[in-house]
Structure formats: structure tokens, C-alpha cells
Amino acid sequence: MQSELLDRSYHFLNFLPNVSDFLVQKHKESGLKVDEKSLYNLVTEADLKAESMILDEIQKNYPGDGILSEERGKIEGKSGYTWVVDPLDGTTNYTHGLPLYGVSVGVVETDTMTPLIGMVFFPELNTYYHAIRGQGAFREKTPIQVSRTSSLKDSLFVTGFPYDRNLSLDTLMQYYKSILQKSRGIRRTGAATLDLCWLAEGKFEGYYELGLKPWDMAAAGLIVLEAKGRITSMDGNDFSILIPSLLATNGLVHEYLLAEFEGQINRVVY
């Protein structure tokens, strides 16, 4: 298995700069075609082309692998590996000319959906993060770890809001107020993969969000775990990319946050 993971990781760490270059070039052009999948949930021609580039590369080089991607859905495989792909995380940022967006590619074990490889490229931040299960987390070639801050008052947090946030706005604001009152602050980048990667290298102490999808978590979630962070659902259950509630921390403030969320999880946004 290890050699198979190394091969897939090495291949895509060398391929994904092509996708990054395409997204940067497309971002410079005027007249980007944008459609609404639902309220607040956008898709652009750049999302679709980037996804095609990634999926074509997977199917050409690893034809037995399965695929789960944001725009094209699920493609069954027989190898025991499934690629989980978000070709453009942070589409709203992208459409507004912001550089806070990423390309996320992960590989999971098909039967258990356990993350095995994580790679996230941030084209206009000129950096990338990656991990293989059991081998640590890296920003480019440099090992990274979560912060060692242990108190809420000294911690900086980050969050995001689900697309159907109007269904549970009061609950979301309750979470926000609860954490904001006891910490240094809360940020929102608009890209879950960026939140998790910045947590993994110690910029944030914790990240929480409801309404996530597997492609939001598969690659960047593994990077956090390999950076010695901790991940559960917001109600304390074991991490699964199939559970759309995520609490990721440096481990030292995790129990404090679970206590803040206890009894408040609003499953409407699932």
C-alpha cells in the first residue's frame, strides 16, 4: 500500500501546478461565466474545467480507482482507493477576485472512507500543503505542526457558514458569540481547505463548521491530523468525511470547544 500511496502523491504533486496555473490565468480574464447551483452556492466554468483536468489525469493513470468529486459526483472503482476532489474550494472568493481559494485532492480507502493522502494547492498564495497517512504534514517541503496554545483567551479561531445558513442563522450566531466572547477572535476566509491548512501550521487554534461535504475535509482533514491536530464532529463523535459537522483544533483547546457546543448542534443544516 505504501508504495501505491507514494506513487499517487508524487504524481499529483507534480501535476496539480498545471491546474493552479490554469485557475490563475482564468482568474485574470474578464467575463467569467458563473451559475448558481443553489442560493449562495456558485459554480464557474473554471470549476468545471479544473475538475475535468484532474479527473482525466486520475482516469488516465489510475483507471481502477474510484472518484468522488464536487461537480461530477461519484465514479465507482475496484482498486480500493477513491479520489475525493474539490477543483476550486472558495468559488465565491474566486468570482469576486479574491486570492483565497484552493484545489483539493485527497485519496481515501474506499470501504472505510479513511483519508490516506491529502494535497491542497493555493494558486494565488503560491504555496501548497500535503500529507500521507502516518508520514507527517508538510507545507511544500517543510514539516508543519499545530500550535501549542492551550487557553481559549489566547486562541484565534476560524469558521465558515453553510450554504443553507438561513435555516439556522440564530444557532450559527449563538456559536459565533459564544466563542468570540472567550477568545482573541474569529476569522472567516471563505475556504474550508484554507482554514484547515492554516490550522495545521499553527495560524489558528481551532476551526468549526456545519454543512461540510467530503471534498471539503478529505485532504485538508488528513493534513491537520498529520500535523498532530485533533478532529471530531462538533458533538464529539469520531471524525468522518461523511459527517457534515467538523471541529478541528490543536488538541489542547478541543474539550473547551466541545463544552461550548454541547447541546447546541442544529441538525437542520446537515
Side-chain angles (χ1 to χ4, degrees):
M1 174 187 282
Q2 202 62 33
S3 63
E4 293 174 331
L5 298 181
L6 286 169
D7 176 67
R8 285 163 172 78
S9 176
Y10 180 79
H11 184 95
F12 267 79
L13 288 175
N14 284 281
F15 169 75
L16 287 175
N18 299 319
V19 182
S20 292
D21 290 346
F22 162 75
L23 289 172
V24 170
Q25 184 57 45
K26 196 69 179 175
H27 211 197
K28 295 176 182 177
E29 298 176 5
S30 60
L32 182 69
K33 187 176 184 298
V34 182
D35 293 315
E36 287 190 356
K37 293 191 287 187
S38 62
L39 185 64
Y40 309 126
N41 191 3
L42 307 179
V43 62
T44 73
E45 56 186 313
D47 294 70
L48 300 175
K49 174 59 178 176
E51 184 177 68
S52 290
M53 292 173 69
I54 296 167
L55 268 57
D56 288 350
E57 190 71 12
I58 294 169
Q59 292 177 318
K60 180 175 72 174
N61 291 279
Y62 307 102
D65 291 2
I67 299 172
L68 177 62
S69 65
E70 179 171 12
E71 308 304 338
R72 204 177 297 184
K74 188 173 185 179
I75 300 170
E76 297 290 348
K78 56 185 180 181
S79 69
Y81 298 117
T82 295
W83 296 76
V84 184
V85 176
D86 189 343
L88 205 174
D89 178 41
T91 299
T92 301
N93 287 346
Y94 190 82
T95 61
H96 285 266
L98 296 174
L100 303 181
Y101 64 90
V103 182
S104 176
V105 176
V107 177
V108 302
E109 188 177 63
T110 301
D111 289 343
T112 64
M113 298 302 281
T114 300
L116 302 172
I117 299 172
M119 297 167 280
V120 188
F121 278 65
F122 298 103
E124 291 187 45
L125 300 182
N126 296 311
T127 193
Y128 65 94
Y129 299 78
H130 58 104
I132 295 175
R133 190 172 187 86
Q135 296 191 23
F138 298 83
R139 176 176 177 173
E140 299 170 20
K141 296 181 179 180
T142 303
I144 57 173
Q145 287 193 5
V146 294
S147 83
R148 303 308 299 162
T149 300
S150 59
S151 66
L152 287 183
K153 71 179 181 63
D154 296 322
S155 296
L156 184 64
F157 297 101
V158 64
T159 190
F161 301 131
Y163 292 124
D164 53 358
R165 53 187 173 267
N166 289 341
L167 297 175
S168 54
L169 199 55
D170 289 344
T171 301
L172 293 169
M173 290 301 99
Q174 186 175 355
Y175 300 154
Y176 196 91
K177 180 180 178 181
S178 176
I179 302 304
L180 188 61
Q181 289 176 320
K182 298 177 181 178
S183 68
R184 281 192 176 161
I186 302 178
R187 302 292 182 260
R188 183 170 190 267
T189 71
T193 54
L194 184 59
D195 298 338
L196 287 164
C197 287
W198 278 355
L199 166 66
E201 68 171 332
K203 287 182 167 63
F204 299 123
E205 277 66 50
Y207 160 71
Y208 68 92
E209 188 165 353
L210 290 164
L212 292 173
K213 301 296 185 182
W215 43 82
D216 296 315
M217 301 179 276
L222 178 65
I223 291 167
V224 170
L225 293 173
E226 289 297 315
K228 302 190 183 305
R230 181 181 174 191
I231 304 181
T232 66
S233 64
M234 284 175 64
D235 49 4
N237 289 314
D238 290 343
F239 171 51
S240 167
I241 66 170
L242 302 178
I243 298 176
S245 148
L246 189 73
L247 172 61
T249 73
N250 63 1
L252 300 175
V253 299
H254 205 91
E255 294 299 328
Y256 295 124
L257 290 179
L258 285 177
E260 291 295 319
F261 297 139
E262 188 174 5
Q264 298 181 28
I265 302 300
N266 184 347
R267 298 181 189 279
V268 172
V269 298
Y270 283 22

